[in-house]
């Protein structure tokens, strides 16, 4: 990935927090890239020309025989380095300090005592701060020309530095929210030590991207699949700015969207893209293919395959297409790079259009592949995309199919759409919608006995799901008040025929996932 911007290169040693480091830096409007340690080459370093390096933490021990190594080119570049946890131990070992297995493992909240003035701690007016630790090894002897700047309450070295050569090492994780002054420490490194001047401005990004896309696509045709979600919508608007009438958008309505969603979305898109916009109502085909299927993975696979077939058929009607636009984001790129030779465990197969390019022999264009979700929303704002589309909660590709455990039919979809609509409207009415990262209703395959008026009922149960999260990777359930739960429950039961019981899902992620399937 080329870049003319001042770039911070984050070298990833497999830490679960690496993406958080990148987000922290992007929050400062500074451009950064994440590269796995084993993909760094002299050529890549020459291309990127990093202004500084951040070495991440990692699950291994530098004392292990096959532990990930520090690429010597990094230190040779004589750029500022911030080394975190595993990164700190790697730098220490390389510069002839000593790392030992700890007799006292530090994990979680730990108090450190700042012992020495440091540019990294500038503006922190406390001597003792609470930080997040996660390490089994520790520094036994620091390298020459380094000094200790803080020690933990357990008398373990928690930060060292060589101020002259601008190498700063932290045993704790400043990128984690649980570390007091963590953002301040990262700000100090990026803005005071590296002294980045050329910031990553979204307006500039749009200008550059549009001219890049114009140069690449020229007067060829490009198609783009729209789902109504933020990523594909922003991709299409950006492409349209670059190639205008050569962009063709296809919206496949699989019949598993939220109430009124298909109509709302197509109204906006037909206004924007005119006759270059095609909506395909494929709900019957999807329902037919999903008939009697209850296994979650099978459902996902069937939906993915049917989507490709329907999209392919529609795309064939547009002649001489060369390109396919996709809404891939930077986290997708980072996550798709296998670590330590093997992909991470698959929890669910995600529905996307991954199979399309091979089948259609198209060149892929991914204009958002360097961006995080919040930056994509920012691009969307600049492109004046309807706020309603930009701020909508995430919605999974397979739609309501994975919110109806068990077999799916038209009647169940209609019941779920109604209940979900009532829940979401309630959240909007009470100004809760934007405080919650994602909320929806799940229709359970359980009928239970109830009583309404004088009558016995035997109807479906639903579960409410509402979570807070930063990126969907981890999540906490949202805590409604008693009254709020009471009101949501009675609105659903009173207004949706077919439901007589409302449950609340008190599960965080992990151990649960956000969706039920
Ligand atoms: P889970 O259930 O894995 O969901 O905790 C994390 C986030 O991803 C969304 N999700 C999907 N998004 N295609 C998508 O585009 C999918 O197949 C898919 N499955 C889950 C989910 O809604 C949540 O925001």
């Amino acid at each position: 990935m080329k870049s003319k911007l001042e770039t911070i290169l984050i070298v990833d040693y497999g830490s679960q927090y690496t993406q958080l480091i990148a987000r922290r830096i992007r929050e400062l409007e500074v451009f950064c890239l994440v590269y796995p340690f084993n993909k760094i080459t002299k050529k890549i370093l020459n291309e990127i020309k990093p202004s500084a390096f951040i070495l991440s933490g990692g699950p291994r021990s530098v004392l292990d025989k096959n532990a990930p190594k520090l690429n010597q080119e990094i230190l040779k570049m004589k750029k500022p380095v911030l080394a975190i946890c595993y990164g700190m131990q790697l730098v220490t070992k390389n510069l002839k300090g000593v790392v030992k297995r700890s007799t006292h493992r530090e994990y979680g909240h730990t108090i450190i005592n700042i012992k020495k003035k440091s540019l990294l701690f500038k503006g922190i007016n406390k001597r003792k701060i609470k930080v997040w630790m996660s390490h089994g090894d520790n520094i036994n002897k620091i390298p020459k020309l380094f000094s200790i700047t803080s020690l933990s309450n357990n008398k373990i070295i928690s930060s060292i530095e060589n101020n002259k050569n601008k190498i700063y090492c932290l045993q704790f994780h400043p990128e984690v929210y649980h570390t007091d002054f963590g953002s301040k420490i990262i700000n100090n490194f990026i803005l005071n030590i590296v002294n980045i001047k050329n910031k990553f401005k979204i307006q500039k990004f749009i200008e550059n991207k549009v001219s890049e896309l114009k140069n690449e696509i020229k007067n060829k045709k490009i198609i783009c699949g729209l789902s109504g979600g933020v990523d594909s919508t922003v991709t299409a608007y950006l492409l349209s700015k670059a190639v205008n009438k050569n962009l063709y958008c296809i919206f496949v309505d699989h019949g598993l969207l939220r109430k009124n969603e298909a109509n709302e979305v197509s109204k906006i898109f037909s206004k924007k893209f005119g006759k270059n916009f095609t909506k395909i109502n494929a709900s019957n085909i999807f329902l037919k293919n999903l008939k009697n299927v209850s296994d979650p993975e099978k459902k996902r696979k069937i939906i993915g395959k049917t989507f490709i077939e329907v999209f392919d058929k529609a795309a064939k009607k547009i002649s001489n297409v060369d390109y396919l636009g996709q809404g891939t984001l930077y986290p997708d790129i980072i996550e798709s790079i296998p670590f330590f030779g093997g992909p991470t465990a698959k929890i669910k197969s995600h529905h996307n259009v991954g199979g399309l390019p091979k089948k259609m022999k198209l060149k892929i264009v991914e204009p958002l592949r360097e961006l995080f979700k919040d930056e994509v929303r920012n691009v969307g704002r600049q492109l004046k995309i309807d706020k309603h589309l930009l701020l909508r909660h995430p919605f999974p590709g397979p739609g309501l199919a994975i919110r109806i455990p068990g077999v799916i039919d038209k009647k169940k979809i209609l019941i779920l759409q109604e209940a979900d609509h009532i829940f979401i409207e309630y959240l909007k009415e009470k100004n809760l919608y934007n405080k919650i990262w994602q909320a929806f209703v799940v229709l359970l395959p359980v009928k239970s006995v109830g009583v309404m008026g004088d009558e016995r009922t035997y109807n479906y149960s639903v579960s409410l799901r509402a979570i807070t999260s930063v990126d969907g990777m981890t999540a906490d359930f949202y805590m409604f008040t008693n009254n709020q739960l009471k009101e949501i429950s009675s609105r659903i039961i009173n207004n949706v025929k077919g439901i007589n019981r409302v449950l609340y899902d008190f599960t965080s992620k992990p151990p649960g996932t956000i969706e039920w399937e």
Side-chain angles (χ1 to χ4, degrees), residues 172-380:
F172 58 91
H173 290 268
E175 69 277 24
V176 170
Y177 292 99
H178 311 286
T179 292
D180 290 346
F181 302 104
S183 301
K184 179 112 208 123
I185 293 170
I186 292 178
N187 288 15
N188 281 337
F189 180 71
I190 302 292
L191 302 179
N192 297 330
I193 296 170
V194 185
N195 204 2
I196 293 281
K197 296 246 159 30
N198 185 5
K199 293 225 173 168
F200 177 56
K201 296 282 180 199
I202 284 296
Q203 193 52 44
K204 194 90 200 133
F205 167 85
I206 297 175
E207 282 166 28
N208 290 343
K209 198 47 85 180
V210 167
S211 95
E212 218 177 84
L213 290 168
K214 271 186 183 157
N215 279 337
E216 181 175 357
I217 303 170
K218 300 204 168 74
N219 55 0
K220 304 247 171 68
K221 284 185 189 170
I222 176 162
I223 50 169
C224 189
L226 289 174
S227 68
V230 178
D231 309 344
S232 65
T233 306
V234 176
T235 301
Y237 274 59
L238 201 56
L239 284 168
S240 142
K241 210 169 155 65
V243 303
N244 199 4
K245 291 282 170 258
N246 284 326
L247 171 70
Y248 293 81
C249 292
I250 299 172
F251 169 49
V252 176
D253 175 8
H254 51 23
L256 297 155
L257 296 171
R258 291 165 280 199
K259 188 182 174 186
N260 300 333
E261 186 169 10
N263 285 339
E264 282 168 15
V265 164
S266 15
K267 221 159 123 191
I268 297 173
F269 290 151
S270 22
K271 196 165 156 213
K272 168 79 183 166
F273 303 110
K275 60 178 177 25
N276 280 13
F277 170 70
T278 312
K279 177 191 171 199
I280 299 157
N281 186 346
S283 47
N284 287 338
I285 308 170
F286 278 86
L287 262 187
K288 191 171 140 248
N289 292 352
L290 285 167
K291 199 169 172 191
N292 294 329
V293 178
S294 56
D295 179 75
E297 273 300 294
K298 271 197 192 138
K299 281 184 190 171
R300 284 174 172 273
K301 296 239 162 74
I302 290 171
I303 293 170
K305 190 166 168 276
T306 312
F307 182 90
I308 291 175
E309 283 163 12
V310 174
F311 188 91
D312 189 31
K313 201 167 151 205
K316 279 203 177 111
K317 293 189 182 149
I318 308 162
S319 55
N320 302 321
V321 177
D322 283 285
Y323 291 92
L324 174 74
Q326 285 193 337
T328 315
L329 305 193
Y330 200 41
D332 306 327
I333 305 273
I334 302 176
E335 279 159 23
S336 67
I337 303 171
F339 235 99
F340 303 128
T344 45
K346 184 176 82 175
I347 301 192
K348 298 171 184 178
S349 359
H350 269 221
H351 159 84
N352 54 34
V353 288
L356 269 176
K358 237 181 22 226
K359 190 169 163 85
M360 301 173 74
K361 300 192 179 68
L362 295 173
K363 284 179 223 149
I364 303 289
V365 176
E366 296 170 319
L368 308 178
R369 59 180 283 132
E370 289 145 315
L371 303 186
F372 284 94
K373 191 85 163 189
D374 42 342
E375 293 168 321
V376 171
R377 288 208 168 94
N378 239 332
V379 172

Side-chain angles (χ1 to χ4, degrees), residues 11 15 19 46 50 68 117 138 141 179 209 228 285 306 315 332 345 347 364 369 420 431 440 471:
V11 184
S15 163
Q19 271 201 47
N46 283 337
K117 219 169 154 183
N138 63 265
K141 185 174 159 247
T179 292
K209 198 47 85 180
I285 308 170
T306 312
D332 306 327
I347 301 192
I364 303 289
R369 59 180 283 132
D420 187 74
N431 285 328
F440 53 89
D471 46 20

Side-chain angles (χ1 to χ4, degrees), residues 300 348-351 394-398 402-403 437-438 472 509 513-515:
R300 284 174 172 273
K348 298 171 184 178
S349 359
H350 269 221
H351 159 84
F395 189 68
I402 57 169
R403 294 179 180 171
W437 197 80
Q438 194 172 10
K509 174 182 177 177
T513 50
I514 297 174
E515 303 289 347

